[in-house]
Amino acid sequence: MKFWILPFLIFASLTARAEDMRIQIWHQMIYGHRQVLAEALEKFEKENPGIIVQATYRETEELRSSYQSAAMGGSGPELVYGPSDQVGPFATMGIVRPLDEVLGSDYFHNFDPLAAPVYDNKHYMIGDAVGNHLMLLYNKKFITTPPKNSQELIELGKKMTVDTNGDGKIDRWGLVFNYTEPFFFAPFIPAFGDAFLKADGVTPNLNTTALKDTFQFILKLRDQDKIIPKECDYETANALFKENKAAMLINGDWSWGDYQQAKVDFGIARIPMISETGKWPSPLVGTKGYSLNANMKSEAHYEAAVKLLKYLTSTPVQLLFAEKVGVLPSNLQARESDIVKNNPLLKISADIMEVGTPMPVTPEVRAVWDSLRIQYQKVLAGSLQPQAAAEQAQITAEQQIRDMNEVLTPGVGATVLKIFFGIGIVLMIWLTRNSLVAFFKGFRGPQRFAYYMMLPAFIGIFAVIIYPFFYNIAISFSNFSLRTFQDWSLVGFHHYIAALSDPRFYSLFLKTVIWTVVNIVFHVSIGVFLAVIINQVIAGKGFWRALLIIPWAVPQYITALTWRAMFNQEYGPINIFLQQFLHMSPVQWLSQPTTAFAACILTNVWLGFPFMMIVALGGLQSIPSSLYEAARLDGANAWQRFRHITWPLLLPVMAPAALLGSIWTFNNLNVIWLVSNSGEPGDQTHILVSYVYKAAFNLYRYGYAASVSVIIFLILVIWGLGSLKSQFKKETK
């Protein structure tokens, strides 16, 4: 083969690859299901040459927020896969396409009605499975017959909760589940006599005796019967059951595949009947399914996405999932297969679904979940009584639904604002006219090569910084929300007035200041201390520098989730250390407001000190050693040398670093959100930036969230300029 043929072939292959159509799916399938999806997509690509499917996993909440953000910009994946309760919000925003015209009304007759949720008389999702409901899983190694009622559950749970080695620590729990989340305790509410939503599926029904009794029931399981751990989130419950450290678990059908892969011999049953009322807990039953993006502009992508949608909900693919991970197909034809009929788990699951409640898909459910979550976690933390929590949950839910559905109409403020914006734009153009003319002339001048080289960077800065910044300012003066996602308009200063007149804003601001100051104090002090030690005392400086910078190099979300696990009351290494070496009682790190906030600070201190250490090490290199030698000759001790030489000469380096660190810390969402699991307990660990995130992506109040973010920006600008001015004065004295 001649040498020149090789580049030609590479170019030809790249050209051919460029002609492939790429279809994206965003989903939140767990690991076992992702493997089956990959197998199905591989087959689809073989059958459809020219179409490449890119499947991207995102955690459920991340998927919702990312998809909304992408939709704001008119983009996003062609297909989005998730639980049915996202149908209402997405359909109201107009970011998913109705499937009735796409698939035809007859298409839905092939599916279980639960797999085709209807919102506003239209179908926006088609599910590939039915269920997604909670049940009792029991480990057959310990239990042969599952409990039928709550009395049996408690008796069996006590028997199964054991300390096998007598060290005072429970080695196997009778029951575990993610009881801090409303979705997991919601099935018990109707078992105590009332639903949490009224018959219209929109109005909250929380101020009831049933909700109060449900709170008390969970508290009794934890504090009186002691058959569930003091702290137990989803990952903890999952790990305990997989490791045979829990006899029973409340979880959904989506988890079966994981337990089968972990070789856990388990059975399933209904969540036991409540003995006092004689009623079965009623898990929410729904589906997970595919929706089509409303922003697809290309007809070819649209046709490929529809083809893929039909393939993924077809009988063969559903049977593949049923066989590999044991989910109940939504396709009625697939239900007749021996794979389904001979699966004992699916048979029992169908029996469990008989006592279930269809999952509501209206957007208001989001506000109800959120209000329940806040008050329920306060009950678990002991800061609120069950009756008061039920009353407050009703009030909070009604208020959040009003806020969510609020549609502000433009008033006089909007007119004033438009005039102000118009004058501002004209003024800006007039003041910068000479620079603008010179800039455009530069593309035809002698330095045009340099201008063309800078153009990509300029476009990039405009796209990712300048445009989003001014877009956010515009949103902050608008009525952009759930109901006006596609046709928002400027309304004036309403959100700024609402934010600044809300007492909660000031309490969050104070907490954010405390968060920032404490973190920066520890970042700087630990960073400088380690830098001085490494620079002057320890041998192998390169090794220690590399070792201590690792916390900064690891992605924040990994560190945050790792520290969250370390703070677990029962199994976290921190409490184990406190108990074994300091003989202290275990600390409820994540279930009390103060300790949860302290846990966030500790995590962020761990993440932040390496940056300050590296900056300080750089500053120490510039201090002449002759100063220290002269000080030693004068008899100065180590503290005096640090106080009179090191710190004054290091200060000009550390001050800008501390300013930069304070801005980062003030805006640090990841640590607070991940360590406290979205503000637990009861939204009491929020700082301003996490409060903004929740307002935008949990309650769809985009205009309000944008206005608070602009206020945060102004606070940081004032703080930054003030610090720089102060530092400049000190340096010029």
Side-chain angles (χ1 to χ4, degrees):
M1 182 183 293
K2 292 182 180 293
F3 181 73
W4 61 269
I5 294 179
L6 183 59
F8 173 77
L9 290 176
I10 294 173
F11 176 76
S13 64
L14 288 174
T15 306
R17 197 67 181 173
E19 291 175 354
D20 289 341
M21 182 182 301
R22 190 174 295 274
I23 301 296
Q24 293 191 60
I25 302 177
W26 287 1
H27 65 86
Q28 42 82 267
M29 294 183 187
I30 59 175
Y31 179 70
H33 292 220
R34 290 203 291 272
Q35 290 180 310
V36 183
L37 177 66
E39 184 180 338
L41 293 180
E42 186 179 354
K43 188 178 178 186
F44 176 81
E45 289 178 344
K46 284 181 182 174
E47 293 174 355
N48 297 273
I51 299 178
I52 296 175
V53 183
Q54 182 178 344
T56 303
Y57 167 77
R58 294 177 188 274
E59 188 272 331
T60 303
E61 291 305 318
E62 184 195 0
L63 185 143
R64 291 177 201 265
S65 58
S66 299
Y67 186 70
Q68 290 168 43
S69 299
M72 282 186 196
S75 61
E78 283 78 7
L79 286 174
V80 57
Y81 178 89
S84 54
D85 63 347
Q86 72 186 22
V87 167
F90 286 179
T92 305
M93 294 176 194
I95 57 177
V96 290
R97 188 178 299 223
L99 299 177
D100 304 79
E101 295 178 2
V102 176
L103 302 174
S105 56
D106 291 340
Y107 187 81
F108 299 98
H109 296 155
N110 301 319
F111 293 85
D112 188 312
L114 284 169
V118 177
Y119 177 72
D120 203 15
N121 299 318
K122 293 178 182 173
H123 297 90
Y124 290 90
M125 170 183 282
I126 186 71
D128 63 343
V130 170
N132 203 31
H133 55 292
L134 296 174
M135 62 197 72
L136 184 75
L137 290 86
Y138 59 96
N139 191 326
K140 290 182 178 177
K141 184 178 177 182
F142 308 115
I143 296 174
T144 53
T145 305
K148 291 185 173 54
N149 56 52
S150 58
Q151 189 60 39
E152 289 182 13
L153 173 75
I154 293 167
E155 290 174 1
L156 190 57
K158 287 179 178 176
K159 197 179 296 182
M160 291 291 114
T161 303
V162 292
D163 174 11
T164 52
N165 55 13
D167 63 353
K169 182 183 167 190
I170 301 299
D171 296 296
R172 187 181 69 224
W173 289 96
L175 174 67
V176 293
F177 66 108
N178 185 19
Y179 63 84
T180 58
E181 286 296 327
F183 179 76
F184 283 80
F185 86 88
F188 293 102
I189 303 174
F192 281 100
D194 223 335
F196 66 92
L197 282 176
K198 292 190 176 175
D200 59 5
V202 175
T203 309
N205 185 39
L206 302 177
N207 188 13
T208 61
T209 305
L211 182 58
K212 184 200 73 173
D213 292 344
T214 306
F215 288 155
Q216 289 175 331
F217 177 71
I218 301 295
L219 284 176
K220 181 173 178 292
L221 291 181
R222 189 191 68 174
D223 300 334
Q224 188 175 326
D225 302 320
K226 299 183 178 178
I227 64 170
I228 60 176
K230 287 282 186 186
E231 289 178 355
C232 189
D233 57 15
Y234 186 87
E235 295 304 328
T236 303
N238 205 33
L240 289 173
F241 193 69
K242 278 183 181 177
E243 295 170 7
N244 293 321
K245 291 181 178 177
M248 293 177 283
L249 165 76
I250 294 176
N251 207 344
D253 52 358
W254 61 82
S255 63
W256 296 350
D258 272 3
Y259 303 138
Q260 286 167 342
Q261 284 191 348
K263 309 295 183 190
V264 178
D265 185 14
F266 68 93
I268 62 171
R270 288 182 182 179
I271 301 173
M273 177 190 292
I274 298 300
S275 302
E276 293 84 345
T277 63
K279 294 183 178 180
W280 289 100
S282 179
L284 294 167
V285 182
T287 186
K288 288 183 180 178
Y290 298 92
S291 298
L292 281 174
N293 192 335
N295 291 318
M296 278 186 285
K297 301 293 191 301
S298 160
E299 188 65 26
H301 277 80
Y302 167 72
E303 290 176 359
V306 172
K307 181 185 284 187
L308 180 59
L309 171 65
K310 289 181 176 177
Y311 169 78
L312 290 172
T313 53
S314 64
T315 300
V317 174
Q318 292 202 12
L319 287 177
L320 183 66
F321 273 90
E323 183 181 10
K324 296 288 179 72
V325 290
V327 296
L328 185 63
S330 62
N331 189 305
L332 298 178
Q333 187 181 357
R335 294 258 184 97
E336 300 302 319
S337 166
D338 289 341
I339 295 174
V340 178
K341 288 183 175 178
N342 295 335
N343 188 323
L345 290 179
L346 293 180
K347 199 172 179 181
I348 301 172
S349 180
D351 175 62
I352 296 169
M353 286 166 56
E354 288 180 6
V355 296
T357 303
M359 170 70 82
V361 297
T362 56
E364 287 78 6
V365 174
R366 187 80 167 173
V368 174
W369 284 134
D370 189 71
S371 61
L372 257 179
R373 188 172 186 266
I374 294 170
Q375 307 309 326
Y376 173 52
Q377 289 176 358
K378 287 181 180 176
V379 172
L380 292 176
S383 59
L384 200 62
Q385 293 300 310
Q387 179 61 51
E391 293 170 4
Q392 196 59 45
Q394 179 72 23
I395 295 169
T396 308
E398 290 174 353
Q399 180 61 48
Q400 292 194 155
I401 289 173
R402 279 196 296 274
D403 292 340
M404 181 188 292
N405 291 325
E406 183 180 35
V407 178
L408 298 170
T409 53
V412 179
T415 307
V416 172
L417 202 61
K418 288 175 183 175
I419 294 171
F420 178 77
F421 278 167
I423 293 172
I425 291 170
V426 171
L427 195 62
M428 187 181 297
I429 293 173
W430 174 256
L431 292 175
T432 59
R433 64 188 184 284
N434 293 333
S435 300
L436 289 173
V437 170
F439 177 75
F440 287 110
K441 279 185 177 177
F443 286 97
R444 291 184 298 177
Q447 302 297 327
R448 58 182 177 277
F449 179 74
Y451 275 80
Y452 281 112
M453 292 298 290
M454 288 192 299
L455 189 60
F458 179 79
I459 293 172
I461 291 171
F462 180 83
V464 302
I465 297 177
I466 298 175
Y467 175 72
F469 176 75
F470 286 102
Y471 185 69
N472 188 64
I473 291 177
I475 289 175
S476 71
F477 291 104
S478 77
N479 59 357
F480 195 4
S481 66
L482 175 70
R483 302 283 171 184
T484 58
F485 196 88
Q486 301 288 358
D487 56 350
W488 56 272
S489 56
L490 297 177
V491 293
F493 298 88
H494 176 87
H495 296 309
Y496 288 93
I497 296 170
L500 294 173
S501 58
D502 184 358
R504 184 169 170 75
F505 173 85
Y506 298 98
S507 65
L508 287 167
F509 175 65
L510 178 62
K511 190 180 286 184
T512 309
V513 171
I514 294 170
W515 154 263
T516 305
V517 171
V518 172
N519 270 293
I520 294 303
V521 167
F522 280 105
H523 289 172
V524 173
S525 55
I526 295 174
V528 170
F529 175 76
L530 291 174
V532 170
I533 296 294
I534 291 173
N535 194 54
Q536 296 187 1
V537 181
I538 295 181
K541 295 177 183 176
F543 169 77
W544 290 107
R545 272 200 300 265
L547 181 69
L548 291 170
I549 205 173
I550 287 176
W552 195 52
V554 176
Q556 270 197 355
Y557 71 94
I558 292 177
T559 303
L561 293 176
T562 303
W563 274 83
R564 177 173 170 77
M566 290 170 62
F567 283 119
N568 182 274
Q569 184 183 357
E570 302 287 342
Y571 302 98
I574 294 174
N575 268 358
I576 291 174
F577 174 83
L578 294 177
Q579 287 176 279
Q580 292 188 355
F581 296 99
L582 302 180
H583 306 291
M584 292 173 61
S585 300
V587 179
Q588 291 180 285
W589 287 103
L590 302 175
S591 56
Q592 297 295 324
T594 306
T595 50
F597 194 58
C600 295
I601 289 176
L602 284 170
T603 305
N604 202 49
V605 167
W606 170 260
L607 282 165
F609 78 81
F611 173 74
M612 297 298 175
M613 182 192 74
I614 294 300
V615 173
L617 272 171
L620 290 172
Q621 306 300 315
S622 64
I623 300 176
S625 57
S626 57
L627 294 177
Y628 292 108
E629 291 168 5
R632 286 193 187 93
L633 291 174
D634 289 340
N637 58 29
W639 169 246
Q640 289 169 327
R641 292 197 297 274
F642 176 81
R643 182 183 173 189
H644 297 292
I645 299 175
T646 305
W647 183 244
L649 294 178
L650 206 53
L651 193 58
V653 178
M654 296 308 299
L659 173 61
L660 193 60
S662 66
I663 293 171
W664 288 343
T665 306
F666 200 94
N667 278 329
N668 194 327
L669 168 69
N670 293 343
V671 172
I672 287 284
W673 197 262
L674 294 174
V675 174
S676 70
N677 194 22
S678 317
E680 289 182 2
D683 269 6
Q684 295 176 85
T685 49
H686 280 303
I687 58 174
L688 275 175
V689 70
S690 59
Y691 175 68
V692 168
Y693 183 86
K694 180 184 172 182
F697 294 107
N698 282 19
L699 301 174
Y700 317 112
R701 301 176 67 195
Y702 301 105
Y704 177 81
S707 68
V708 179
S709 69
V710 171
I711 294 172
I712 292 174
F713 170 75
L714 293 175
I715 291 170
L716 292 176
V717 166
I718 294 169
W719 158 245
L721 292 177
S723 298
L724 289 175
K725 188 176 178 181
S726 172
Q727 184 63 23
F728 179 75
K729 281 183 178 177
K730 287 180 183 175
E731 291 177 1
T732 53
K733 274 184 180 178

